[in-house]
Amino acid sequence: MNAALIALRAIVLREALRFVRQRGRFVAALVRPLIWLLVFAAGFRAALGLSITPPYQTYITYEVYIVPGLCGMIALFNGMQSSLSLVYDREMGSMRLLLTSPLPRWWLLFCRLLASTAISILQTYCFLAVAAAFGIQLPVWGYVAVLPTLVVAGIMLGALGLALSSLIRQLENFAGVMNFVIFPMFFLSTALYPLWKMAESSTLLRDICALNPFTHAVELIRFALYGQFNGPALGWTVLAGAVFLGLAFWGYDPARGLLRRKG
């Protein structure tokens, strides 16, 4: 147990130091959702009318609606950024050195996942603070209640990035995989528009959005920001996270996974 905690501390500290030194990564994590909040929302406000849907008790502005989706965007992009760093570490050899530790491989990967999730939560709270400065006011207790949901969503999306990193052989392939995963997950979700709005266009697209695990992560965050519990969203997010985590452990298992075939 003592060795496992030492490994957890070392991995989290390493990722924290890497994040501190990569200031552009922090700025990009804030600029991306702020552009959606301040620029795109201004154009979509008139085109996308919103009805009173849970957890909202009254009509809201479009900027208020997309804040939970933008929190999910931060976790999603951070999960992909984490997978990029894993591919880089594998090419440089530091990842292989880490996985030769006598500690269980699944624990080392889980420590890496926890470190990525912690960074994602920090970025999300910074974004919420900036959004509040621009007039997007949320219930005070929501900032506290959302923390557990950010952990669950961050682990689920980080596990997805971890699983993808076992598929990517070279850094050059990362951009294609990222575009293939991130943008469909983000746009085919409730991050930018509710399900009923998508149903007006296509029932099939509405069903795809409903099955998208990112949708449930966003709804979990949305309800928590207003002090409400969303059981189905929590169940689907935890289930998806368990599947992605299982795939990641399998992919990094040299006896059965993809790394064995890569040599």
Side-chain angles (χ1 to χ4, degrees):
M1 179 63 68
N2 187 44
L5 293 178
I6 291 175
L8 174 61
R9 177 180 177 276
I11 293 175
V12 171
L13 182 60
R14 178 178 183 269
E15 291 303 306
L17 290 175
R18 171 185 284 183
F19 176 72
V20 169
R21 292 168 182 169
Q22 296 175 344
R23 298 180 181 178
R25 178 180 172 185
F26 177 73
V27 173
L30 290 181
V31 170
R32 190 182 301 113
L34 285 175
I35 288 177
W36 278 97
L37 181 65
L38 303 177
V39 179
F40 287 93
F44 290 160
R45 186 187 302 122
L48 295 173
L50 296 174
S51 65
I52 302 176
T53 57
Y56 308 109
Q57 303 298 323
T58 183
Y59 286 100
I60 58 171
T61 62
Y62 184 67
E63 290 87 346
V64 172
Y65 176 82
I66 65 172
V67 163
L70 297 180
C71 292
M73 171 196 276
I74 294 174
L76 178 62
F77 275 85
N78 186 77
M80 296 302 106
Q81 183 71 29
S82 177
S83 70
L84 171 62
S85 65
L86 281 169
V87 176
Y88 177 82
D89 287 347
R90 192 170 65 226
E91 287 197 351
M92 296 298 103
S94 57
M95 188 64 182
R96 294 181 182 274
L97 181 62
L98 175 65
L99 295 179
T100 57
S101 167
L103 291 171
R105 179 166 296 198
W106 66 267
W107 173 251
L108 298 173
L109 293 172
F110 188 69
C111 290
R112 186 68 181 264
L113 180 59
L114 290 179
S116 172
T117 302
I119 293 173
S120 173
I121 292 173
L122 174 63
Q123 293 173 335
T124 302
Y125 272 107
C126 289
F127 165 72
L128 290 175
V130 175
F134 280 98
I136 309 299
Q137 299 295 330
L138 300 171
V140 176
W141 282 107
Y143 293 101
V144 179
V146 77
L147 178 59
T149 65
L150 293 177
V151 174
V152 175
I155 290 177
M156 186 268 285
L157 296 170
L160 173 61
L162 196 64
L164 289 174
S165 68
S166 67
L167 295 169
I168 304 173
R169 301 190 179 188
Q170 297 177 339
L171 287 173
E172 292 78 7
N173 300 330
F174 177 79
V177 174
M178 184 180 69
N179 292 334
F180 182 75
V181 174
I182 286 183
F183 293 109
M185 286 193 73
F186 180 70
F187 288 108
L188 292 175
S189 72
T190 57
L192 301 179
Y193 23 71
L195 286 178
W196 68 264
K197 195 70 178 179
M198 181 62 73
E200 291 181 352
S201 174
S202 170
T203 303
L204 176 61
L205 288 179
R206 187 267 177 199
D207 294 338
I208 294 175
C209 291
L211 293 175
N212 184 357
F214 184 68
T215 289
H216 300 285
V218 169
E219 293 306 304
L220 187 64
I221 295 172
R222 188 187 310 280
F223 275 72
L225 283 172
Y226 290 86
Q228 299 184 31
F229 176 71
N230 191 328
L234 176 62
W236 279 106
T237 304
V238 170
L239 178 61
V243 172
F244 295 149
L245 200 57
L247 291 174
F249 292 161
W250 180 84
Y252 276 95
D253 187 341
R256 296 184 298 273
L258 296 170
L259 290 183
R260 177 175 61 85
R261 295 194 290 271
K262 293 176 185 178

